[in-house]
């Protein structure tokens, strides 16, 4: 059963877009960034990271589900993933996308599905982070998050994208709430009316929001591979006597593992976001768009096959 459609706005590369609906690209292309096509394939990779002292966020790939049957099945699959984490004794939590739970179908319906998942998370003393998707979803995602926070407290967290102009106000509301926030730059192709495009500006607001969150909450997640921001975070924490247990660095599977290992050695908390599943194309295309060198990596691998 297909687990989602792919939005055109997600693609910079017409090559991928022209064949997206058939999803016929072979998995070996994605394996640098995606841990496997099912949980069984991802588990050994999670254990390997855990053995290095690195925690994991598991992400069952997919987005923009348009029928209830698929959204129901996905909700069930997420609940089973929480059971799987316990069974395998993984040091892992999960991340979800609300469009996988039916946000494109009906907001109330996705709220119910989120509730079903969070009931399970609370029962298992687990944690679910709601990833932030494109700007069409920002307000609804935050509304559903704040609503879920009232009922599920520390079992749910959210993501803020520093590139969005609106994030200053959202960060203030999240600080007030004491929320568990992952701060990232933002990965979607957004219009310049909504986002900063210039890297110096994005870094500046990233630092501003990170400092707001780090000084007022105990669980800021700094999600970046950017050496400049990593160094800044360490320095800011040191200068403001923020203990290493009170924040966490987060990176994506397949990127900068040695940096993660060095951070662990230096006593920092580190978590790697590990995606798996068959619906990897939108995620994979965002990773390529972020860094053109990755296209060479993929092409070289294609030629080796
Ligand atoms: C744990 C985690 C969760 C995230 N969740 C979300 C989310 O919910 N919503 C959302 O919009 N975005 C999310 N993102 C993506 C994020 O918004 C950025 O698009 C992405 O992290 C690239 O920005 P950067 O700061 O890491 O690095 P950049 O400024 O892009 O690059 C800095 C350096 O990092 C390395 N690097 C960065 N990206 C790549 C890459 N693709 N391939 C190879 N090397 C690379 C390179 O060395 C590069 O020079 C998440 C990122 C992380 C790490």
């Amino acid at each position: 059963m297909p687990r989602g459609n792919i939005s055109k706005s997600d693609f910079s590369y017409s090559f991928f877009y022209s064949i997206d609906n058939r999803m016929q690209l072979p998995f070996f292309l994605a394996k640098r960034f995606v841990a496997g096509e099912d949980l069984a394939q991802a588990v050994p990779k999670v254990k390997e990271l855990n053995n290095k002292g690195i925690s994991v966020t598991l992400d069952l790939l997919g987005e923009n589900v348009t029928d209830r049957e698929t959204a129901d099945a996905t909700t069930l699959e997420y609940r089973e993933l929480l059971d799987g984490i316990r069974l395998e004794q993984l040091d892992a939590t999960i991340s979800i996308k609300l469009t996988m739970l039916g946000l494109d179908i009906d907001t109330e319906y996705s709220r119910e599905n989120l509730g079903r998942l969070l009931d399970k998370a609370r029962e298992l003393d687990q944690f679910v982070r709601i990833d932030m998707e494109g700007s069409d979803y920002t307000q609804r995602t935050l509304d559903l998050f704040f609503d879920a926070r009232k009922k599920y407290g520390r079992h749910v967290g959210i993501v803020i994208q520093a590139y969005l102009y609106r994030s200053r106000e959202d960060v203030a509301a999240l600080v007030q709430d004491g929320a568990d926030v992952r701060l990232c730059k933002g990965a979607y192709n957004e219009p310049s009316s909504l986002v900063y495009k210039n890297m110096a500006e994005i870094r500046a607001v990233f630092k501003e929001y990170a400092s707001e969150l780090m000084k007022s909450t105990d669980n800021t997640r700094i999600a970046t591979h950017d050496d400049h921001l990593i160094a800044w975070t360490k320095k800011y924490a040191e200068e403001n006597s923020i203990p290493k247990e009170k924040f966490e660095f987060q990176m994506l599977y397949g990127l900068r593992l040695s940096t993660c290992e060095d951070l662990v050695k230096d006593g920092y908390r580190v978590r790697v976001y590990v995606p798996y599943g068959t619906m990897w194309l939108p995620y994979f295309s965002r990773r390529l768009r972020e860094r053109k060198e990755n296209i060479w990596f993929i092409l070289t691998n294609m030629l080796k096959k």
Side-chain angles (χ1 to χ4, degrees), residues 7-25:
S7 86
K8 189 169 182 172
S9 65
D10 235 5
F11 288 88
S12 320
Y13 305 105
S14 54
F15 167 67
F16 294 118
Y17 186 69
S18 65
I19 54 176
D20 64 4
N21 289 329
R22 284 170 285 146
M23 296 298 289
Q24 282 175 342
L25 289 178

Side-chain angles (χ1 to χ4, degrees), residues 132 161 182 185-187 224-225 252 255 287 290-291 294:
M132 193 55 83
Q161 297 156 325
R182 173 201 296 154
K185 285 178 183 162
T224 184
H225 314 93
L252 300 176
L255 301 183
R287 301 294 77 83
E290 276 157 9
R291 198 163 158 76
N294 286 336

Side-chain angles (χ1 to χ4, degrees), residues 18-296:
S18 65
I19 54 176
D20 64 4
N21 289 329
R22 284 170 285 146
M23 296 298 289
Q24 282 175 342
L25 289 178
F27 179 71
F28 76 83
L29 287 176
K31 73 177 188 211
R32 174 174 174 194
F33 302 114
V34 178
E37 290 194 280
D38 57 30
L39 181 61
Q41 287 174 9
V43 164
K45 290 157 187 162
V46 176
K47 289 188 172 165
E48 221 171 283
L49 290 164
N50 286 171
N51 288 339
K52 295 177 191 287
I54 298 171
S55 303
V56 162
T57 297
L58 271 163
D59 169 44
L60 169 63
L61 288 166
E63 39 207 270
N64 299 106
V65 164
T66 51
D67 66 279
R68 286 177 188 247
E69 195 191 349
T70 309
D72 286 348
T74 306
T75 307
L76 185 65
E77 209 168 339
Y78 277 139
R79 286 173 55 99
E80 288 169 355
L81 172 57
L82 290 174
D83 283 325
I85 289 173
R86 163 149 309 188
L87 200 71
E88 295 284 350
Q89 299 183 312
L90 306 177
D91 172 6
T93 56
I94 70 169
S95 256
I96 58 135
K97 289 187 171 47
L98 287 177
T99 61
M100 288 269 282
L101 298 185
L103 189 59
D104 282 327
I105 303 168
D106 175 49
T107 305
E108 276 319 297
Y109 168 66
S110 62
R111 189 194 310 274
E112 284 163 25
N113 280 340
L114 180 64
R116 262 177 231 132
L117 176 61
L118 289 171
D119 284 341
K120 183 75 172 179
R122 189 168 54 187
E123 180 193 317
L124 296 178
D125 196 19
Q126 252 289 357
F127 178 82
V128 175
R129 184 171 310 279
I130 303 173
D131 280 350
M132 193 55 83
E133 302 180 69
S135 57
D136 287 349
Y137 303 105
T138 312
Q139 189 58 53
R140 279 179 288 163
T141 302
L142 283 162
D143 290 345
L144 289 175
F145 166 73
F146 280 118
D147 186 52
R149 266 283 286 173
K150 287 186 204 129
K151 188 164 176 202
Y152 298 98
R154 65 184 173 80
H155 298 287
V156 62
I158 188 72
V159 178
I160 282 289
Q161 297 156 325
Y163 66 3
L164 280 180
Y165 294 142
R166 61 168 288 162
S167 287
R168 181 167 291 112
E169 282 171 30
D170 294 333
V171 167
L174 290 162
V175 162
Q176 183 80 19
D177 180 74
D180 185 320
V181 177
R182 173 201 296 154
L183 179 65
C184 65
K185 285 178 183 162
Y188 293 80
N189 212 355
E190 301 283 4
S192 49
S193 55
L194 296 180
V195 297
Y196 295 102
K197 294 275 184 187
N198 174 286
M199 187 54 80
E201 286 178 313
I202 297 174
R203 278 181 174 155
V205 284
F206 191 105
K207 290 179 202 169
E208 178 191 331
Y209 304 153
S211 56
E212 286 299 316
L213 289 162
M214 285 170 75
K215 69 180 184 226
S216 4
T217 67
D218 281 350
N219 273 312
T220 306
R221 321 291 169 165
I222 304 292
T224 184
H225 314 93
D226 186 336
D227 282 330
H228 175 83
L229 290 176
I230 294 168
W232 175 87
T233 303
K234 290 180 181 173
K235 191 159 173 274
Y236 179 83
E238 218 173 285
E239 287 174 357
N240 292 278
S241 310
I242 298 170
K244 289 175 179 170
E245 322 78 74
K246 296 219 164 177
F247 62 98
E248 179 180 79
F249 288 105
Q250 295 197 348
M251 302 203 196
L252 300 176
Y253 178 79
L255 301 183
R256 314 218 60 178
L257 181 60
S258 62
T259 307
C260 292
E261 290 170 344
D262 290 346
L263 287 166
V264 168
K265 272 187 215 123
D266 291 342
Y268 292 98
R269 290 160 70 200
V270 180
R271 183 175 297 272
V272 168
Y273 184 100
V274 178
Y276 73 94
T278 52
M279 299 298 295
W280 45 264
L281 196 52
Y283 176 87
F284 173 70
S285 106
R286 285 196 289 277
R287 301 294 77 83
L288 293 193
R289 192 169 55 219
E290 276 157 9
R291 198 163 158 76
K292 306 290 177 270
E293 288 88 330
N294 286 336
I295 297 174
W296 280 115

